[in-house]
Amino acid sequence: MSRIKAAYALPLAAAGLSACSEAVEQERPNIIFIMTDDHTTQAMSCYGGNLIETPNMDRIADEGMRFDNCYATNALSGPSRACILTGKFSHKNGFTDNASTFDGSQLTFPKVMRENGYATGVVGKWHLISKPQGFDHWSILLGQNEQGNYFKPVFYENGTVVKEDGYVTDVITDKAIEFIDDVHDEKPFMLMLHHKAPHRNWMPAPRHLGIFNDTVFPEPETLFDDYEGRGEAARSQDMNIENTLEDEWDLKLLTREEILAGNNRLHDVYIRMPEEVQHKWDSVYAPRIAEYRSGKLQGDELVRWKYQQYMRDYLATAMSVDESIGRVMEYLEEIGELDNTVIVYTSDQGFFLGEHGWFDKRFMYEECLRMPFVIRYPKMIKAGSTSKAICMNVDFGPTFLDLAGIEVPSEMQGRSFRKVLEKKGRIPAGWREAAYYHYYEYPAEHSVKRHYGIRTSDCKLIHFYNDIDQWEMYDMTADPQEMRNVYDDPAYAGKRAQMHRILEQVQQEYEDTDPCEKELILFKGDRRLFDRGESSTTK
Ligand code: SGN
Ligand code: CA
């Protein structure tokens, strides 16, 4: 089925028309905005990653465009999501860290799309604490600090608590397909399909349990980084494979009997699995536990071993997300909507897969600053194209609005990159030269100090400003792994002055002119969210 949905008068500004042109009629595409939690470009074959094959993500890139310089503005779940919804940086939307509560009365891109005739929906991870606003349908994860559970996930669905059986990625995918099925005949739709996977503690779908047990993954060159040539922030983090990964939670080094005895973090997530899956789990992890307990692993060998176990679980968990994309695309094809739909795949931020000896994110270093971003819409985008345009998560909302022919509200700080899509990835004249970043969640889990900075096409400037007052600068061409801070290198004095000028301009433009002064909402541990007084139903 191919049809033009409710052709309408396109606002002149959005259509790029001069004032005397006739308003045009334009097809309004559906938009499916697929986002995962903590997936990263190193784990996508279309980005040249050598860890796993991601055929469905690759298909979006092969039949669409891959962005190579798309950056998070605050590499943490809640903050990234708030930036995306509002098109504004954290200091403007107020959601600076995961202990914040989103002010849902703000202007968001789904609200604008809904007002302009789109059916809007969100299914999966939300993580913004307050109830979603601006959606015709919402079904968001509850539990585990509102990150959701891998098995038997619980949803807060249009105001009601709904308990589901099954594996979280599959359940979210079912819900996404149901939403599309409900609305696609009536209106163009915008669906946010937001997965929990592959977030920590990396629990694969039953069908993927153990699939990498015999695989040895290549190690990143910087696995044994000693942080020489960097500042205090890299040294004082608590997110390293050697010491931070928890034996029980992350490495799953407990037998069934030990888990069931209780008093351990695995207990609650293990008992959510059906018994046959528990048995599969037991057989998959038994050799790992035996190897660990043999006492033969020490020092660097132990770090290497932990890295391998981390990769096995993380990558197996990511497989379900790739399959989910495949299912959604297949369904769209079936109902004749595939080519009428803008399909985006991204993640709330990147992630460390052993680089610098780390897991997690938060730092402005490349592996987690960079977001994957692939997009397919054959009516506009040349198949197999790539772009080096510097984009940020605050641009997503403006871009979706622009693709829908809706004028972008002037208060949004992000910019539409529609022209990049139309022009085969070329960087438009007057495009920005730097991405801006500001991370706030400290003191908190993983001990990453607050910092802000800019990333240009060839350089990065970072200021860690609390506890310590240290600047770092990296030559991204000569040193893409960010191993040598050149901030005080006289050879870079000119570059340093130039980067400071750009930083100042960018902070003026985005109105983050007092970056070190912001009152912070410190992480206070577990919080029970939402109004739980509502009736609960079990499906
Ligand atoms: C949990 C994880 C952290 C992770 C945060 C935020 N700990 O607290 O490792 O950084 O979520 O992640 S865990 O022990 O509970 O697994 S975010 O992607 O949602 O921002
Ligand atoms: Ca995340």
Side-chain angles (χ1 to χ4, degrees):
M1 179 176 61
S2 167
R3 50 87 197 88
I4 293 185
K5 277 177 187 153
Y8 74 123
L10 190 67
L12 295 179
L17 299 173
S18 65
C20 56
S21 304
E22 291 284 301
V24 293
E25 287 196 340
Q26 179 194 295
E27 180 171 353
R28 297 194 290 172
N30 308 309
I31 295 176
I32 300 191
F33 168 30
I34 307 172
M35 185 157 82
T36 34
D37 198 6
D38 295 355
H39 194 219
T40 187
T41 53
Q42 308 94 287
M44 286 171 76
S45 34
C46 56
Y47 276 94
N50 58 359
L51 296 166
I52 43 166
E53 291 299 319
T54 47
N56 294 300
M57 296 173 192
D58 295 7
R59 179 177 173 198
I60 299 178
D62 290 346
E63 297 174 5
M65 192 180 292
R66 185 193 75 209
F67 281 77
D68 291 342
N69 296 321
C70 180
Y71 299 116
T73 53
N74 182 354
L76 197 60
S77 168
S80 179
R81 289 159 206 271
C83 290
I84 291 170
L85 282 175
T86 59
K88 292 178 182 167
F89 291 85
S90 305
H91 63 280
K92 288 281 181 191
N93 68 45
F95 201 105
T96 49
D97 59 45
N98 277 341
S100 311
T101 298
F102 185 64
D103 169 7
S105 69
Q106 296 183 73
L107 185 77
T108 63
F109 85 84
K111 284 186 187 173
V112 180
M113 296 200 81
R114 193 179 188 205
E115 278 158 17
N116 281 275
Y118 269 74
T120 55
V122 55
V123 295
K125 183 163 171 175
W126 173 250
H127 210 180
L128 292 172
I129 317 308
S130 54
K131 286 183 194 171
Q133 293 185 33
F135 296 95
D136 295 299
H137 173 75
W138 51 272
S139 183
I140 57 173
L141 285 169
L142 284 181
Q144 288 251 95
N145 298 335
E146 315 321 326
Q147 316 224 14
N149 278 294
Y150 274 111
F151 288 87
K152 290 199 180 146
V154 180
F155 291 81
Y156 195 31
E157 192 164 294
N158 303 319
T160 304
V161 176
V162 179
K163 296 176 182 170
E164 301 283 7
D165 279 328
Y167 182 70
V168 69
T169 308
D170 302 338
V171 176
I172 291 172
T173 310
D174 292 343
K175 286 180 182 288
I177 290 174
E178 270 167 37
F179 171 80
I180 302 169
D181 193 41
D182 281 353
V183 299
H184 79 91
D185 267 341
E186 309 288 318
K187 282 176 167 189
F189 63 85
M190 189 288 294
L191 170 66
M192 294 170 35
L193 195 185
H194 289 188
H195 285 295
K196 169 194 171 69
H199 192 275
R200 195 179 175 195
N201 70 335
W202 316 302
M203 291 173 71
R207 60 191 176 279
H208 299 133
L209 262 172
I211 45 165
F212 294 129
N213 263 17
D214 298 322
T215 309
V216 178
F217 292 100
E219 288 172 8
E221 283 173 40
T222 59
L223 182 61
F224 292 99
D225 193 353
D226 60 5
Y227 314 122
E228 172 115 24
R230 256 74 39 79
E232 180 53 29
R235 269 173 240 279
S236 60
Q237 47 59 44
D238 180 22
M239 48 188 264
N240 53 80
I241 289 175
E242 183 173 7
N243 300 309
T244 317
L245 278 186
E246 293 172 19
D247 288 358
E248 295 177 1
W249 180 241
D250 299 305
L251 298 167
K252 292 114 182 156
L253 297 172
L254 287 182
T255 63
R256 176 179 174 82
E257 291 66 37
E258 289 161 346
I259 296 171
L260 293 179
N263 216 3
N264 62 79
R265 287 188 80 193
L266 271 191
H267 180 268
D268 289 1
V269 294
Y270 181 88
I271 58 168
R272 302 186 81 87
M273 295 190 288
E275 211 172 316
E276 71 275 12
V277 180
Q278 292 175 357
H279 292 314
K280 185 167 182 197
W281 171 287
D282 300 339
S283 63
V284 162
Y285 290 108
R288 181 186 291 193
I289 295 169
E291 209 178 346
Y292 183 70
R293 293 186 180 173
S294 71
K296 289 184 196 139
L297 299 158
Q298 304 286 337
D300 286 357
E301 278 320 296
L302 182 57
V303 175
R304 294 206 152 92
W305 183 85
K306 286 184 180 181
Y307 164 76
Q308 292 298 333
Q309 313 318 316
Y310 163 38
M311 280 305 89
R312 286 172 182 171
D313 292 348
Y314 175 96
L315 296 168
T317 306
M319 300 276 290
S320 67
V321 175
D322 193 72
E323 290 178 356
S324 163
I325 297 172
R327 269 187 68 199
V328 170
M329 288 176 79
E330 211 170 275
Y331 174 73
L332 289 171
E333 209 151 22
E334 224 175 272
I335 60 168
E337 295 282 0
L338 184 62
D339 290 350
N340 302 322
T341 304
V342 174
I343 302 175
V344 164
Y345 176 73
T346 184
S347 172
D348 56 349
Q349 9 70 205
F351 211 69
F352 292 103
L353 300 184
E355 299 87 0
H356 307 289
W358 298 336
F359 66 98
D360 213 64
K361 53 265 177 175
R362 300 160 188 270
F363 274 114
M364 202 191 152
Y365 300 130
E366 209 61 6
E367 290 80 1
C368 66
L369 176 69
R370 171 178 290 141
M371 302 167 87
F373 193 95
V374 290
I375 178 168
R376 181 189 189 278
Y377 183 44
K379 292 181 178 172
M380 178 183 291
I381 302 169
K382 187 175 180 313
S385 51
T386 60
S387 182
K388 299 250 174 279
I390 293 180
C391 299
M392 297 184 277
N393 56 1
V394 288
D395 299 332
F396 299 175
T399 304
F400 296 153
L401 290 170
D402 200 4
L403 289 172
I406 301 166
E407 197 156 4
V408 180
S410 58
E411 65 177 82
M412 290 191 174
Q413 296 178 299
R415 262 200 231 176
S416 162
F417 48 79
R418 176 187 175 136
K419 283 209 176 69
V420 179
L421 301 172
E422 285 169 339
K423 298 274 161 61
K424 302 178 190 161
R426 281 200 298 274
I427 302 175
W431 193 246
R432 65 168 71 91
E433 61 179 331
Y436 185 57
Y437 188 83
H438 196 156
Y439 170 82
Y440 301 83
E441 194 176 283
Y442 180 88
E445 194 176 9
H446 300 307
S447 289
V448 174
K449 294 186 194 296
R450 291 172 201 158
H451 56 292
Y452 60 81
I454 49 165
R455 167 74 157 99
T456 63
S457 59
D458 62 355
C459 196
K460 187 182 287 181
L461 179 66
I462 314 176
H463 184 207
F464 291 96
Y465 65 85
N466 77 307
D467 273 7
I468 53 173
D469 177 15
Q470 290 182 356
W471 289 86
E472 295 183 11
M473 193 169 95
Y474 295 96
D475 178 338
M476 299 306 296
T477 313
D479 178 26
Q481 293 179 329
E482 300 163 297
M483 299 294 279
R484 196 166 81 84
N485 175 14
V486 295
Y487 188 76
D488 291 320
D489 183 339
Y492 284 87
K495 188 71 181 175
R496 169 175 149 170
Q498 184 202 3
M499 289 296 280
H500 270 288
R501 271 197 303 277
I502 300 173
L503 174 65
E504 212 169 295
Q505 278 164 16
V506 166
Q507 287 184 323
Q508 292 284 344
E509 180 185 346
Y510 298 134
E511 299 177 332
D512 195 15
T513 45
D514 242 347
C516 312
E517 298 307 318
K518 188 151 181 64
E519 241 339 276
L520 289 157
I521 308 152
L522 301 181
F523 188 68
K524 295 176 199 75
D526 191 11
R527 290 176 308 154
R528 296 293 86 194
L529 312 171
F530 303 109
D531 166 16
R532 299 296 171 73
E534 310 198 44
S535 67
S536 143
T537 58
T538 307
K539 267 196 199 169

